[in-house]
Amino acid sequence: MMKKAKLCIVAATMIIMTLLSGCHGSKGLPEFEIPEEFDESRSYEITFWAKNDTNKVQSDIYKKAISDFEKLYPNIKVNMRLYTDYGRIYNDVITNISTSTTPNVCITYPDHIATYMSGINVVVPLDRLIDDPKYGLGADGVKFDSPKRDEVVPEFLNECYLNGECYALPFMRSTEALYINEDLVKALGYEVPDVLTWDFVWEVSEKAMEKDASGNFAVNGQKVLIPFIYKSTDNMMISMLKQKNAGYSTSEGDIEIFNDTTTELLKEVAVHAKSGAFSTFKISSYPGNFLNAGQCIFALDSTAGATWMGSDAPLSDIAEASKKQFTTVVRPIPQFDVSSPRMISQGPSVCVFNKDDPQEVLASWLFTQFLLTNEVQTAYSETEGYVPVTRKAQESDEYREYLSLAGTDENDHYIIKEEAAKLLLNNMSNTFVTPVFNGSASLRDAAGALIENVTKAERRGTKVDDAFLEKMYQDVKSLYKLDSNLSGAMKKESMGPLPKASVILLTVLAVSWVMIGSVRLMQILKKKKEEKTTD
Amino acid sequence: MKKVLVAALTLAMAAVMLTACGKGGSEKKSEGVMTYAEYDAAALDSEVTIEAYVQAHQSWWDNKITVYAADKDGAYFLYEMACSEEDAAKLTPGTKFKAKGYKTEWSGEIEIADATFEFEDGNYTASPVDVTSYLGKDELKKYQNQLVSFKDMTVSAVSYKNNEPGDDIYVNFTKDGNEYYFCLEYYLNGSDSDFYNKVGSLEVGQVCDVEGFLYWYEGPNPHITAITVK
C-alpha cells in the first residue's frame, strides 16, 4: 500500500510539474548555451532566409558571401532562400515557429522579432555571443576579420535591443529620401531648398495641378501628373508624428497614435488627396515610375530604392519612350522644423533562431557575424542607397573610394544612389526608430492604413471629416487589434518567457503544494488502513 | 404563306441568336449589377458591382485573394478581394460570384480594389482569344485581363525575379522584330512545379504558342498559364 501511495505522489508531482512547465505558452526549446568549443569535426547545414530589393546584384552578393564563408568553414553548408518582401518572410517564420522549422538565420525587422519572441527561446539572445571571448564579434576564435562590438554603429545596434537584450545584428541601414524633379519645381517658380518643409511640398504640389486649355497639366504638358507620391505610408505617418513630437506608442506597447495631431495631419493629407496632388504607392504605383516619366515632382521612397530614381536610373520598369530627361535632386524627407530634421532609420537586421543543437546555433552565429565583414558590407551597401552598419566598413579605403567616385558612371557609381547613401551618412544622428513590442508590427500597418484610407476616401468622393475619422479609427483599431483590451494582451505577450527567478519561485511553490498534498494524502491513506484493520 | 412566314421568323430568330453568340453571348445581369460595358465605361475610383466567373486566382493570403475573372463580354482583375480561407477554396475556375468594390488603375492595370463578394449559381470558363495580331497596337488593351493567346512567339530572354527559382519568372518574347514582356506569376502558378520548371527552362530562340491572362504593368505583361513549344 505504501508503495502505491508513493507512486501516486510521484505521479502527481510529475503531472503538476509538466503542467507548470507547459504554462506560458508551449514548452519551447532549451535556452541556448554557448558551447566551449565549436566542433569542426561535425558537418552542419543551416538555412538562411534573405531579402533583396528585386535587385539581382544583391542575390549575387549573398551567394558570394555564402561561398566565401563555406571556404572558411567547409563543415558548414548554408542554404539560402530569397524573398523580395519582408511581409512574406514574417508570415513564413510565424508559420514555421509552430512546426519548429524556422530557418537558422533570417533577415528581419525588429518589429517582427518581437512577435517571434512570443515563443519560448525561439530567437537566440545575442549579447553573450557578441561578447564571447572566443566566438564573439572580433574575437580570436573566428576565422575572418569581423568587426568588434564598438565598431558597429551604436545607433544601429541599439535598434536591435528588445526588453534590454540584443536579438539581432543590423545588416544594412537606409532611410527615406525625397527624389525631386528639379526642372518642374523651377518651372513652377520655386527653388529647391536644402531641407523642404511639408508646407513647401504641399504648396508646390497644389500649384502643379493647374491645367492648360487643352486639359493637360500645364507644368509637364501631360494628361497625367501626381505631384507628390509617398511609397511607404506607414513611415509617412510615423515620421510626421515624430517630427511633431506627438504620440505614436510607448516602449511598453501603449497605443497613442489615435490623437489630435494625427487627426490634424490626416485632414491635411485629405485636402491634397482630394485635389489629386498626393497619392501613394499602394493606390497609384511606384513613385519612381511616375518620376521618371515626368509625371511626379516629389517621389518619396527609400534610399534603398535610389537605383530606380531619375532619368538615367540603371533600373527602370517604364518604357524608354516614356522616360523624360530632367535634373534629379535628393533631399531629406519633408520636415515641420527644418532646424531639427528627423527621419526614420530602417533596413534589414539578422536574427538567429534557436535549435536543439547548440553547435548548429553556433554555426549560425558565425555566419551571421560573417555578414558584418567589410567585404560583404561594402559590396551590399553599394548595390543601393544603403550604408554599411559598421564604422569599420564605412571608414574602409574601399568604401571611401566608392563614395569619392560618385557620378563617374551610371551604374556602380550612379550619382543619385550615392547621394542617397550620403544623405543617411550625414544624418545618422537625426534618425529614429519606433518602439518595438509584440504588436508593434501591427501598429505600423495601422499607421499606414490611416493615410491610405483617407486618401482613398477622398478620391472616391467621401468627405474626410470628424465623423469619418472617428469611424475609421474604430475600424482600424479593430482590424489591427489595437483597442485597449487587446493592447493590454499584447503587452502581456511582449513580456516574453518568464524570468528565471519567477520560474524558480513558481517551482518552489508548486513543490510545496505537492508536499502538502502528499502529506495529506498519506494521512488519509493511513487513516483508511487503520479503519480497515479495525473492521 | 403561313409556312413561309414561320420559316422566315425562325430564321430571323436563329440569326439574332447566332449574332448574340458571336458577340460572346452576353447574359442578363442581376438587379443593381453592371454589364461589362457599364463597368468598362465607369470612372476610375467609382464604386462598381459586377457579376463574373472565376477563371483563376493567386494564392490566398491574409484573408485576401486576387482573382482573374470574366463574364462573356470581358474580364476583371479583383486585387486582394476580402476572402476567408474557407471561401477561397470554393473559388474554383468557373464559379460565379457577385463583387462590389472600386474601379482603380495601378500602373496601367485596371482592377477592382477593396472588393467584397458573394457566391452565385452559375458556371462559365472562358476560352483564350487569339490576340497575336494586336501586339504593339492600342487595340490590345481592350482585352486586358482576359485569357488570351499569342502564336509563334520567339523566346528572347528568361530570368528569375530573384536570380534563382522560387519567385516570378520573366520571359521576353519577340514577334516581328518587337520584344514583349511576359511573366510567370509565382502566386498564380501555385504548386504546379512542372509548369514552373517548364517555363524556367525555356531557351532563347524557341518558338512557342503562349496562353495567359492579359495583365498590364506599364504596358502589356501577360501572366503565363500555358506554353506550347513548337
Side-chain angles (χ1 to χ4, degrees), chain A residues 340-364:
Chain A
S340 175
R342 305 308 309 269
M343 61 198 74
I344 205 149
S345 169
Q346 59 185 11
S349 297
V350 200
C351 69
V352 177
F353 284 98
N354 197 13
K355 299 288 169 188
D356 283 318
D357 178 5
Q359 290 286 345
E360 185 182 328
V361 176
L362 187 53
S364 308

PDB file of all heavy atoms in Angstrom, chain A residues 340-364:
ATOM      1  N   SER A 340      15.723  70.968 -37.064  1.00  0.00           N
ATOM      2  CA  SER A 340      15.897  69.715 -36.322  1.00  0.00           C
ATOM      3  C   SER A 340      15.296  68.560 -37.121  1.00  0.00           C
ATOM      4  O   SER A 340      14.278  67.979 -36.744  1.00  0.00           O
ATOM      5  CB  SER A 340      15.212  69.849 -34.956  1.00  0.00           C
ATOM      6  OG  SER A 340      15.253  68.637 -34.275  1.00  0.00           O
ATOM      7  N   PRO A 341      15.918  68.226 -38.249  1.00  0.00           N
ATOM      8  CA  PRO A 341      15.309  67.205 -39.108  1.00  0.00           C
ATOM      9  C   PRO A 341      15.264  65.829 -38.455  1.00  0.00           C
ATOM     10  O   PRO A 341      16.183  65.461 -37.723  1.00  0.00           O
ATOM     11  CB  PRO A 341      16.219  67.196 -40.341  1.00  0.00           C
ATOM     12  CG  PRO A 341      17.492  67.805 -39.913  1.00  0.00           C
ATOM     13  CD  PRO A 341      17.183  68.731 -38.779  1.00  0.00           C
ATOM     14  N   ARG A 342      14.190  65.115 -38.707  1.00  0.00           N
ATOM     15  CA  ARG A 342      14.048  63.743 -38.201  1.00  0.00           C
ATOM     16  C   ARG A 342      13.653  62.847 -39.353  1.00  0.00           C
ATOM     17  O   ARG A 342      12.787  63.183 -40.143  1.00  0.00           O
ATOM     18  CB  ARG A 342      12.966  63.650 -37.103  1.00  0.00           C
ATOM     19  CG  ARG A 342      13.139  64.578 -35.908  1.00  0.00           C
ATOM     20  CD  ARG A 342      14.502  64.495 -35.259  1.00  0.00           C
ATOM     21  NE  ARG A 342      14.974  63.168 -34.908  1.00  0.00           N
ATOM     22  CZ  ARG A 342      14.773  62.584 -33.732  1.00  0.00           C
ATOM     23  NH1 ARG A 342      14.078  63.191 -32.799  1.00  0.00           N
ATOM     24  NH2 ARG A 342      15.278  61.402 -33.476  1.00  0.00           N
ATOM     25  N   MET A 343      14.316  61.713 -39.422  1.00  0.00           N
ATOM     26  CA  MET A 343      14.000  60.743 -40.476  1.00  0.00           C
ATOM     27  C   MET A 343      14.173  59.339 -39.917  1.00  0.00           C
ATOM     28  O   MET A 343      14.955  59.134 -38.991  1.00  0.00           O
ATOM     29  CB  MET A 343      14.893  60.976 -41.697  1.00  0.00           C
ATOM     30  CG  MET A 343      16.360  60.819 -41.423  1.00  0.00           C
ATOM     31  SD  MET A 343      17.384  61.573 -42.700  1.00  0.00           S
ATOM     32  CE  MET A 343      17.198  63.304 -42.352  1.00  0.00           C
ATOM     33  N   ILE A 344      13.441  58.441 -40.513  1.00  0.00           N
ATOM     34  CA  ILE A 344      13.412  57.081 -39.962  1.00  0.00           C
ATOM     35  C   ILE A 344      14.692  56.316 -40.322  1.00  0.00           C
ATOM     36  O   ILE A 344      15.294  56.554 -41.372  1.00  0.00           O
ATOM     37  CB  ILE A 344      12.156  56.330 -40.460  1.00  0.00           C
ATOM     38  CG1 ILE A 344      11.773  55.219 -39.485  1.00  0.00           C
ATOM     39  CG2 ILE A 344      12.347  55.770 -41.874  1.00  0.00           C
ATOM     40  CD1 ILE A 344      10.299  54.946 -39.440  1.00  0.00           C
ATOM     41  N   SER A 345      15.110  55.459 -39.415  1.00  0.00           N
ATOM     42  CA  SER A 345      16.178  54.512 -39.725  1.00  0.00           C
ATOM     43  C   SER A 345      15.525  53.174 -40.009  1.00  0.00           C
ATOM     44  O   SER A 345      14.698  52.697 -39.227  1.00  0.00           O
ATOM     45  CB  SER A 345      17.128  54.385 -38.527  1.00  0.00           C
ATOM     46  OG  SER A 345      18.009  53.305 -38.730  1.00  0.00           O
ATOM     47  N   GLN A 346      15.832  52.602 -41.133  1.00  0.00           N
ATOM     48  CA  GLN A 346      15.224  51.316 -41.484  1.00  0.00           C
ATOM     49  C   GLN A 346      16.266  50.444 -42.171  1.00  0.00           C
ATOM     50  O   GLN A 346      17.401  50.859 -42.360  1.00  0.00           O
ATOM     51  CB  GLN A 346      14.020  51.539 -42.394  1.00  0.00           C
ATOM     52  CG  GLN A 346      14.359  52.270 -43.682  1.00  0.00           C
ATOM     53  CD  GLN A 346      13.125  52.591 -44.517  1.00  0.00           C
ATOM     54  OE1 GLN A 346      12.001  52.452 -44.080  1.00  0.00           O
ATOM     55  NE2 GLN A 346      13.350  53.016 -45.748  1.00  0.00           N
ATOM     56  N   GLY A 347      15.848  49.265 -42.532  1.00  0.00           N
ATOM     57  CA  GLY A 347      16.778  48.366 -43.212  1.00  0.00           C
ATOM     58  C   GLY A 347      16.846  47.031 -42.499  1.00  0.00           C
ATOM     59  O   GLY A 347      16.417  46.898 -41.355  1.00  0.00           O
ATOM     60  N   PRO A 348      17.374  46.069 -43.196  1.00  0.00           N
ATOM     61  CA  PRO A 348      17.351  44.705 -42.669  1.00  0.00           C
ATOM     62  C   PRO A 348      18.298  44.471 -41.494  1.00  0.00           C
ATOM     63  O   PRO A 348      19.393  45.019 -41.445  1.00  0.00           O
ATOM     64  CB  PRO A 348      17.775  43.864 -43.873  1.00  0.00           C
ATOM     65  CG  PRO A 348      18.542  44.790 -44.747  1.00  0.00           C
ATOM     66  CD  PRO A 348      17.982  46.159 -44.526  1.00  0.00           C
ATOM     67  N   SER A 349      17.840  43.657 -40.565  1.00  0.00           N
ATOM     68  CA  SER A 349      18.687  43.122 -39.498  1.00  0.00           C
ATOM     69  C   SER A 349      18.713  41.606 -39.649  1.00  0.00           C
ATOM     70  O   SER A 349      17.989  41.053 -40.475  1.00  0.00           O
ATOM     71  CB  SER A 349      18.115  43.507 -38.130  1.00  0.00           C
ATOM     72  OG  SER A 349      18.127  44.905 -37.987  1.00  0.00           O
ATOM     73  N   VAL A 350      19.539  40.959 -38.871  1.00  0.00           N
ATOM     74  CA  VAL A 350      19.652  39.497 -38.980  1.00  0.00           C
ATOM     75  C   VAL A 350      19.467  38.889 -37.598  1.00  0.00           C
ATOM     76  O   VAL A 350      20.115  39.315 -36.628  1.00  0.00           O
ATOM     77  CB  VAL A 350      21.048  39.051 -39.477  1.00  0.00           C
ATOM     78  CG1 VAL A 350      20.989  37.642 -40.049  1.00  0.00           C
ATOM     79  CG2 VAL A 350      21.607  40.008 -40.489  1.00  0.00           C
ATOM     80  N   CYS A 351      18.592  37.902 -37.494  1.00  0.00           N
ATOM     81  CA  CYS A 351      18.442  37.213 -36.210  1.00  0.00           C
ATOM     82  C   CYS A 351      18.804  35.740 -36.375  1.00  0.00           C
ATOM     83  O   CYS A 351      18.835  35.204 -37.485  1.00  0.00           O
ATOM     84  CB  CYS A 351      17.035  37.386 -35.648  1.00  0.00           C
ATOM     85  SG  CYS A 351      15.754  36.535 -36.567  1.00  0.00           S
ATOM     86  N   VAL A 352      19.098  35.126 -35.244  1.00  0.00           N
ATOM     87  CA  VAL A 352      19.489  33.714 -35.233  1.00  0.00           C
ATOM     88  C   VAL A 352      18.410  32.949 -34.478  1.00  0.00           C
ATOM     89  O   VAL A 352      18.032  33.331 -33.362  1.00  0.00           O
ATOM     90  CB  VAL A 352      20.851  33.530 -34.517  1.00  0.00           C
ATOM     91  CG1 VAL A 352      21.228  32.054 -34.441  1.00  0.00           C
ATOM     92  CG2 VAL A 352      21.934  34.335 -35.227  1.00  0.00           C
ATOM     93  N   PHE A 353      17.923  31.880 -35.081  1.00  0.00           N
ATOM     94  CA  PHE A 353      16.897  31.071 -34.417  1.00  0.00           C
ATOM     95  C   PHE A 353      17.540  29.931 -33.628  1.00  0.00           C
ATOM     96  O   PHE A 353      18.529  29.338 -34.061  1.00  0.00           O
ATOM     97  CB  PHE A 353      15.897  30.528 -35.438  1.00  0.00           C
ATOM     98  CG  PHE A 353      14.927  31.578 -35.910  1.00  0.00           C
ATOM     99  CD1 PHE A 353      15.134  32.247 -37.101  1.00  0.00           C
ATOM    100  CD2 PHE A 353      13.824  31.930 -35.131  1.00  0.00           C
ATOM    101  CE1 PHE A 353      14.264  33.242 -37.519  1.00  0.00           C
ATOM    102  CE2 PHE A 353      12.950  32.926 -35.539  1.00  0.00           C
ATOM    103  CZ  PHE A 353      13.167  33.584 -36.734  1.00  0.00           C
ATOM    104  N   ASN A 354      16.938  29.672 -32.492  1.00  0.00           N
ATOM    105  CA  ASN A 354      17.448  28.617 -31.611  1.00  0.00           C
ATOM    106  C   ASN A 354      17.121  27.234 -32.171  1.00  0.00           C
ATOM    107  O   ASN A 354      16.136  27.065 -32.887  1.00  0.00           O
ATOM    108  CB  ASN A 354      16.809  28.788 -30.224  1.00  0.00           C
ATOM    109  CG  ASN A 354      17.559  28.032 -29.162  1.00  0.00           C
ATOM    110  OD1 ASN A 354      18.678  27.576 -29.384  1.00  0.00           O
ATOM    111  ND2 ASN A 354      16.964  27.902 -28.000  1.00  0.00           N
ATOM    112  N   LYS A 355      17.982  26.295 -31.846  1.00  0.00           N
ATOM    113  CA  LYS A 355      17.770  24.899 -32.269  1.00  0.00           C
ATOM    114  C   LYS A 355      18.161  23.990 -31.098  1.00  0.00           C
ATOM    115  O   LYS A 355      18.797  24.429 -30.140  1.00  0.00           O
ATOM    116  CB  LYS A 355      18.649  24.569 -33.497  1.00  0.00           C
ATOM    117  CG  LYS A 355      18.363  25.410 -34.716  1.00  0.00           C
ATOM    118  CD  LYS A 355      17.033  25.053 -35.371  1.00  0.00           C
ATOM    119  CE  LYS A 355      16.642  26.068 -36.426  1.00  0.00           C
ATOM    120  NZ  LYS A 355      15.289  25.875 -36.955  1.00  0.00           N
ATOM    121  N   ASP A 356      17.809  22.706 -31.207  1.00  0.00           N
ATOM    122  CA  ASP A 356      18.163  21.765 -30.144  1.00  0.00           C
ATOM    123  C   ASP A 356      19.674  21.626 -30.002  1.00  0.00           C
ATOM    124  O   ASP A 356      20.185  21.387 -28.912  1.00  0.00           O
ATOM    125  CB  ASP A 356      17.559  20.378 -30.444  1.00  0.00           C
ATOM    126  CG  ASP A 356      16.071  20.352 -30.141  1.00  0.00           C
ATOM    127  OD1 ASP A 356      15.681  20.920 -29.093  1.00  0.00           O
ATOM    128  OD2 ASP A 356      15.310  19.805 -30.947  1.00  0.00           O
ATOM    129  N   ASP A 357      20.372  21.759 -31.113  1.00  0.00           N
ATOM    130  CA  ASP A 357      21.816  21.527 -31.117  1.00  0.00           C
ATOM    131  C   ASP A 357      22.563  22.866 -30.987  1.00  0.00           C
ATOM    132  O   ASP A 357      22.587  23.667 -31.926  1.00  0.00           O
ATOM    133  CB  ASP A 357      22.187  20.830 -32.437  1.00  0.00           C
ATOM    134  CG  ASP A 357      23.692  20.582 -32.562  1.00  0.00           C
ATOM    135  OD1 ASP A 357      24.421  20.864 -31.578  1.00  0.00           O
ATOM    136  OD2 ASP A 357      24.116  20.127 -33.644  1.00  0.00           O
ATOM    137  N   PRO A 358      23.201  23.119 -29.835  1.00  0.00           N
ATOM    138  CA  PRO A 358      23.905  24.393 -29.650  1.00  0.00           C
ATOM    139  C   PRO A 358      25.028  24.591 -30.665  1.00  0.00           C
ATOM    140  O   PRO A 358      25.352  25.722 -31.022  1.00  0.00           O
ATOM    141  CB  PRO A 358      24.481  24.286 -28.231  1.00  0.00           C
ATOM    142  CG  PRO A 358      23.784  23.163 -27.585  1.00  0.00           C
ATOM    143  CD  PRO A 358      23.309  22.246 -28.663  1.00  0.00           C
ATOM    144  N   GLN A 359      25.617  23.509 -31.142  1.00  0.00           N
ATOM    145  CA  GLN A 359      26.690  23.621 -32.140  1.00  0.00           C
ATOM    146  C   GLN A 359      26.138  24.201 -33.449  1.00  0.00           C
ATOM    147  O   GLN A 359      26.794  24.989 -34.120  1.00  0.00           O
ATOM    148  CB  GLN A 359      27.315  22.244 -32.397  1.00  0.00           C
ATOM    149  CG  GLN A 359      28.130  21.698 -31.248  1.00  0.00           C
ATOM    150  CD  GLN A 359      29.488  22.399 -31.094  1.00  0.00           C
ATOM    151  OE1 GLN A 359      29.953  23.097 -31.989  1.00  0.00           O
ATOM    152  NE2 GLN A 359      30.117  22.220 -29.934  1.00  0.00           N
ATOM    153  N   GLU A 360      24.929  23.787 -33.791  1.00  0.00           N
ATOM    154  CA  GLU A 360      24.279  24.295 -35.002  1.00  0.00           C
ATOM    155  C   GLU A 360      23.996  25.797 -34.852  1.00  0.00           C
ATOM    156  O   GLU A 360      24.158  26.578 -35.799  1.00  0.00           O
ATOM    157  CB  GLU A 360      22.981  23.524 -35.242  1.00  0.00           C
ATOM    158  CG  GLU A 360      22.273  23.871 -36.533  1.00  0.00           C
ATOM    159  CD  GLU A 360      20.956  23.103 -36.694  1.00  0.00           C
ATOM    160  OE1 GLU A 360      20.852  21.947 -36.210  1.00  0.00           O
ATOM    161  OE2 GLU A 360      20.017  23.666 -37.282  1.00  0.00           O
ATOM    162  N   VAL A 361      23.603  26.174 -33.639  1.00  0.00           N
ATOM    163  CA  VAL A 361      23.338  27.595 -33.386  1.00  0.00           C
ATOM    164  C   VAL A 361      24.636  28.396 -33.485  1.00  0.00           C
ATOM    165  O   VAL A 361      24.667  29.490 -34.047  1.00  0.00           O
ATOM    166  CB  VAL A 361      22.673  27.787 -32.000  1.00  0.00           C
ATOM    167  CG1 VAL A 361      22.480  29.278 -31.698  1.00  0.00           C
ATOM    168  CG2 VAL A 361      21.343  27.059 -31.936  1.00  0.00           C
ATOM    169  N   LEU A 362      25.707  27.812 -32.965  1.00  0.00           N
ATOM    170  CA  LEU A 362      26.998  28.499 -33.035  1.00  0.00           C
ATOM    171  C   LEU A 362      27.440  28.665 -34.495  1.00  0.00           C
ATOM    172  O   LEU A 362      27.958  29.721 -34.887  1.00  0.00           O
ATOM    173  CB  LEU A 362      28.048  27.729 -32.234  1.00  0.00           C
ATOM    174  CG  LEU A 362      29.413  28.393 -32.072  1.00  0.00           C
ATOM    175  CD1 LEU A 362      29.302  29.809 -31.515  1.00  0.00           C
ATOM    176  CD2 LEU A 362      30.319  27.548 -31.153  1.00  0.00           C
ATOM    177  N   ALA A 363      27.186  27.641 -35.294  1.00  0.00           N
ATOM    178  CA  ALA A 363      27.500  27.735 -36.729  1.00  0.00           C
ATOM    179  C   ALA A 363      26.685  28.865 -37.371  1.00  0.00           C
ATOM    180  O   ALA A 363      27.194  29.638 -38.187  1.00  0.00           O
ATOM    181  CB  ALA A 363      27.196  26.403 -37.423  1.00  0.00           C
ATOM    182  N   SER A 364      25.428  28.978 -36.961  1.00  0.00           N
ATOM    183  CA  SER A 364      24.555  30.040 -37.486  1.00  0.00           C
ATOM    184  C   SER A 364      25.083  31.409 -37.086  1.00  0.00           C
ATOM    185  O   SER A 364      25.074  32.361 -37.875  1.00  0.00           O
ATOM    186  CB  SER A 364      23.129  29.893 -36.943  1.00  0.00           C
ATOM    187  OG  SER A 364      22.653  28.600 -37.143  1.00  0.00           O
TER     188      SER A 364
END
